[in-house]
């Protein structure tokens, strides 16, 4: 097809920067695409331009995306634009998919059968069982689902970032676990049983490319043009593999935006975008800076906000839409008031409305309230880690022990978290006496001679507190657990986030007994596990991570307060470490991604009782010597809500909602 005909047919609706990205094919190219700039359209159109105008053979093109669903979507969009079957020959793959091919090919080159390849673990339950067994041995107790998930995430991070043993040990120290020991045992088990996980698959492929010139040459000749979508989400090991396949000056087209890199916990490596020109001296850097999604006021506010980050390209986002509605800062007295407000929004919700939050747990009190009021909603990517989190299980175990003071297994899980000052041997002896004499475990304190008067007094006090808990509502019981019983001090001493206690308190206000509260938690967990998406509902709950790449007519950002969102706070001045600054910039990017999901209306909850550095930053322009950013902030409207009751839970909202 002649270039002029192709451009007239497929690119007249594209702007100048988009057209330039479509027609720039040779050499290393970095395309920085701001939110809502049409990057997928450009990537798909560019593939057509390469095949139909530049006569590049489809089999010489490799298009890498982040997930299997993204590869399928890319292929569908290509065929929708260029016709059924037009994608034949082009490889749309994930990085793991291409690594699997390399490993098989390496085996053939080495004269080995495919049976010699380690079996890939594809079942999450299988890998969870391996980790669980190791944790039982290391921790001397059964891990929760949340513990297992957290450790698996850390193992993935270590492998994707190619961390050294010293770095793994340091990471484990920060997390308060013996990570290096766990990591070593896990990898040893896999090798001994001829297994590999998805992260191993990439490491093995990378080592094979480094050790075999024939393998590297084969794939470089095959994939002469490589396109990488969502490049800011790929990890260090993935970037190294891509770099080897493309070479220093090869035809590598990377599309991404470091401002939207929010998967640091999974080892996303936005530094590869920042270092692209250094790694590829002949590189061209293109920018698609026009946002077609959000109204102008949202775009301007989001752009000025992200300028506070240092580790980024100097670029600015421009809007193509009219000004539209002002950003609405919804000022409430406390965090607990936001649930009543959102309940009012959800009633007869006829507009597409998304409530976005940093962590899944933020939505649990709202879900509880919506369910109690029988209001339909849709939730993306249900995650029940909250219910098996260590803090939640500790609190519920203490409550269960109050209900069953003879339960020795529960006692051994909680005694050292309630300031009893018992030694393990003493606690175990109390359990044996309890079982032998059929008396409550704490009563057995009186029969252990090695326990001194102070510790015996602590145990008596704990028994009294637990008996009193049975007579009071669960809200008071949680306060009793946190303060008089000393569990709050235990969390602080072990540097454990106490936000789970806040969520539990919010859930407790609508129950009258700890028994009813425990049943409600079980009910919510089962409900979410069985829940199927209600695509007819226009009221949507989602983490910002799950909303990435999506857009909504109206967006509410929840829990915007220091210590929750952002979750990782930075110390002021020069006392902050490089790692702390790096983590804080990712928090800011997450907030930026949340803002840019909104098309027409964006509301942000603020609380008189809680500070928000992000809200302050939105009102503080950034002045840079090389920046052309405006220093006048867009108008924002703070609407104080009257008629909000002071009850510290699901506050009833009687006002008018925009």
């Amino acid at each position: 097809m002649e270039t002029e005909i192709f451009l007239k047919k497929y690119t007249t609706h594209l702007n100048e920067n988009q057209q330039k990205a479509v027609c720039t094919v040779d050499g290393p190219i970095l395309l920085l695409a701001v939110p809502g700039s049409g990057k997928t359209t450009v990537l798909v159109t560019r593939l057509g331009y390469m095949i139909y105008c530049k006569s590049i053979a489809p089999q010489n093109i490799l298009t890498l995306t982040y997930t299997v669903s993204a590869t399928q979507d890319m292929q569908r969009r290509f065929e929708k634009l260029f016709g059924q079957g037009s994608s034949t020959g082009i490889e749309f793959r994930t990085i793991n998919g291409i690594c699997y091919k390399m490993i098989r090919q390496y085996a053939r080159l080495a004269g080995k059968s495919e049976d010699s390849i380690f079996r890939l673990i594809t079942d999450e339950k299988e890998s969870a069982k391996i980790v669980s067994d190791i944790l039982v041995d290391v921790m001397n107790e059964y891990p929760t689902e949340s513990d297992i998930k957290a450790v698996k995430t850390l193992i993935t991070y270590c492998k994707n970032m190619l961390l050294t043993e010293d770095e793994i040990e340091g990471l484990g120290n920060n997390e308060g676990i013996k990570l290096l020991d766990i990591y070593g045992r896990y990898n040893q088990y896999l090798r001994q049983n001829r297994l590999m996980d998805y992260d191993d698959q990439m490491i093995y492929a990378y080592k094979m490319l480094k050790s075999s010139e024939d393998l590297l040459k084969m794939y470089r000749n095959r994939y002469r043009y490589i396109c990488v979508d969502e490049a800011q989400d790929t990890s260090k090991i993935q970037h190294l593999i891509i770099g080897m396949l493309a070479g220093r000056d090869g035809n590598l087209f990377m599309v991404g935006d470091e401002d939207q890199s929010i998967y640091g916990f999974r080892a996303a490596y936005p530094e590869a975008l920042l270092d692209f020109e250094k790694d590829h001296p002949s590189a061209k850097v293109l920018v698609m800076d026009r946002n077609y999604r959000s109204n102008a006021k949202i775009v301007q506010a989001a752009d000025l906000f992200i300028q506070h980050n240092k580790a980024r390209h100097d670029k600015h986002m421009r809007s193509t839409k009219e000004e539209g509605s002002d950003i609405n800062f919804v000022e409430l007295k406390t965090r607990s008031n936001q649930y009543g407000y959102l309940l009012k929004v959800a009633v007869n919700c006829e507009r597409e409305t998304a409530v976005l939050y940093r962590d899944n747990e933020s939505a649990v009190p709202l879900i509880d309230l919506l369910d109690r009021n029988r209001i339909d909603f849709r939730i993306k990517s249900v995650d029940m880690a909250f219910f098996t989190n260590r803090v939640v299980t500790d609190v519920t175990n203490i409550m269960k022990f109050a209900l069953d003071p003879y339960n020795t297994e529960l006692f051994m899980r909680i005694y050292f978290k309630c300031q009893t000052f018992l030694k393990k041997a003493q606690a175990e002896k109390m359990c044996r006496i309890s079982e032998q004499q059929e008396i409550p475990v704490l009563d057995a304190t009186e029969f252990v001679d090695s326990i001194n008067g102070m510790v015996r007094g602590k145990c008596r006090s704990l028994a009294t507190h637990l008996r009193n808990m049975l007579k009071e509502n669960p809200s008071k019981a949680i306060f009793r657990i946190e303060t008089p019983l000393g569990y709050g001090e235990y969390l602080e001493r072990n540097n454990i986030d106490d936000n789970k206690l806040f969520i539990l308190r919010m859930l407790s206000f609508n129950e009258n007994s700890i028994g009813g509260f425990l049943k409600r938690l079980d009910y919510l967990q089962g409900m979410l596990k069985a829940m199927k998406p209600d695509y007819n509902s226009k009221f949507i709950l989602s983490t910002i991570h799950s909303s990435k790449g999506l857009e909504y007519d109206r967006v509410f950002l929840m829990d915007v307060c220091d210590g929750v969102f952002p979750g990782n706070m930075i110390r002021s001045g020069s006392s902050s470490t490089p790692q702390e600054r790096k983590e804080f910039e990712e928090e800011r990017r997450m907030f930026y991604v949340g803002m840019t999901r909104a098309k027409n209306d964006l509301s942000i909850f603020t609380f008189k009782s809680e500070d928000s550095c992000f809200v302050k930053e939105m009102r503080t322009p950034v002045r840079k010597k090389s920046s052309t950013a405006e220093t006048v902030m867009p108008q924002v409207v703070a609407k104080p809500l009257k008629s909000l009751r002071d009850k510290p839970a699901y506050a009833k909202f009687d006002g008018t909602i925009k």
Side-chain angles (χ1 to χ4, degrees), residues 28 59 122 136 194 277 359 391 414 464 489 499 649:
Q59 60 267 27
T122 58
V136 168
R194 301 184 59 77
E277 293 169 274
D359 295 314
V391 174
I414 68 169
T464 301
E489 290 185 22
N499 190 54

Side-chain angles (χ1 to χ4, degrees), residues 37-78:
S37 60
K39 68 175 181 61
T40 306
T41 298
V42 167
L43 206 159
V44 168
T45 307
R46 183 178 181 274
L47 290 174
Y49 177 82
M50 293 166 68
I51 295 169
Y52 300 121
C53 297
K54 302 295 285 185
S55 299
I56 297 170
Q59 60 267 27
N60 292 144
I61 302 172
L62 173 64
T63 300
L64 295 172
T65 60
Y66 193 54
T67 63
V68 173
S69 60
T71 65
Q72 296 168 344
D73 179 64
M74 188 79 70
Q75 185 168 1
R76 281 194 300 268
R77 292 184 65 165
F78 185 89

Side-chain angles (χ1 to χ4, degrees), residues 282-476:
S282 62
K284 305 179 186 74
V285 179
L286 309 177
V287 180
M288 294 195 327
D289 59 358
R290 297 183 190 176
N291 178 296
Y292 289 88
R293 174 187 300 148
S294 307
N295 78 42
K297 290 183 178 177
I298 295 172
V299 169
Q300 186 184 5
D303 179 64
L304 290 172
F305 172 76
I306 200 60
Q307 303 299 322
H308 287 272
N309 270 5
K310 307 297 182 186
R312 62 185 302 274
H313 289 89
D314 187 15
K315 62 182 182 297
H316 294 281
M317 179 170 56
R318 296 187 294 159
S319 177
T320 60
K321 298 177 71 173
E322 296 179 355
E323 285 196 346
S325 300
D326 297 311
I327 295 175
N328 180 24
F329 288 117
V330 184
E331 293 183 345
L332 301 175
K333 187 175 180 181
T334 65
R335 281 177 68 192
S336 58
N337 295 133
Q338 64 189 327
Y339 309 116
Y341 188 105
L342 288 169
L343 175 65
K344 189 74 174 180
V345 174
V347 175
N348 299 320
C349 181
E350 296 180 355
R351 296 176 61 187
E352 182 187 53
T353 300
V355 179
L356 305 183
Y357 35 86
R358 180 185 184 275
D359 295 314
N360 280 283
E361 65 195 46
S362 288
V364 177
L366 179 57
I367 291 169
D368 178 53
L369 188 58
L370 292 169
D371 178 71
R372 289 178 186 275
N373 287 272
R374 299 183 181 180
I375 296 174
D376 294 332
F377 64 95
R378 185 189 345 156
I379 186 168
K380 283 186 59 62
S381 303
V382 176
D383 187 324
M384 294 176 294
F386 167 80
F387 297 97
T388 61
N389 179 271
R390 180 64 63 181
V391 174
V392 176
T393 55
D394 283 345
V395 171
T396 55
N397 281 342
I398 293 171
M399 290 182 172
K400 289 175 183 177
F401 184 67
L403 293 167
D404 182 10
Y406 296 83
N407 193 316
T408 55
E409 182 179 346
L410 283 174
F411 179 74
M412 291 303 297
R413 293 180 184 177
I414 68 169
Y415 77 91
F416 58 94
K417 300 176 182 180
C418 297
Q419 291 189 338
T420 62
F421 300 105
L422 285 165
K423 296 177 181 178
K424 185 177 180 181
Q426 294 171 332
E428 290 173 338
K429 189 170 183 179
M430 288 169 59
C431 290
R432 289 195 297 271
I433 293 172
S434 169
E435 291 172 345
Q436 291 167 1
Q437 299 189 20
E438 297 182 350
I439 60 175
V441 181
L442 286 168
D443 287 358
T445 311
E446 310 299 331
F447 301 95
V448 181
D449 294 336
S450 62
I451 295 178
N452 62 38
M454 185 273 288
V455 174
R456 185 169 286 115
K458 288 287 185 181
C459 291
R460 290 170 181 167
S461 176
L462 175 59
T464 301
H465 281 300
L466 295 177
R467 284 194 296 271
N468 289 337
M469 281 172 54
L470 300 177
K471 306 171 188 176
E472 57 196 15
N473 62 51
S475 174
K476 289 183 179 179

Side-chain angles (χ1 to χ4, degrees), residues 78 109 113 195 224 242 261 272 311 318 324 364 400 524 568 595:
F78 185 89
L109 289 174
S113 68
L195 298 171
R224 297 178 184 177
I242 293 166
S261 180
R318 296 187 294 159
V364 177
K400 289 175 183 177
L524 288 172
N568 297 322
M595 292 177 68

Side-chain angles (χ1 to χ4, degrees), residues 64-67 93-96 160-161 202 227-243 252 254-257 260-264 266-273 548:
L64 295 172
T65 60
Y66 193 54
T67 63
R93 287 187 178 272
T94 62
I95 189 72
N96 278 102
N160 275 265
M161 291 297 288
M202 294 185 290
C227 307
V228 183
D229 191 21
E230 301 287 6
Q232 76 282 343
D233 293 334
T234 49
S235 67
K236 188 173 185 177
I237 183 67
Q238 291 169 343
H239 279 295
L240 289 172
I241 293 169
I242 293 166
L252 174 61
M254 294 191 71
V255 185
D257 179 12
Q260 298 181 72
S261 180
I262 60 174
Y263 290 100
R266 290 203 304 232
Y269 192 65
E271 289 87 346
L273 274 66
K548 194 165 179 291

Side-chain angles (χ1 to χ4, degrees), residues 358 544 558-567 587 590-591 614:
R358 180 185 184 275
I544 291 173
M558 277 185 73
D559 275 349
V560 182
C561 55
D562 296 350
V564 183
F565 191 13
E587 295 279 329
M590 202 184 312
F591 193 81
F614 282 173

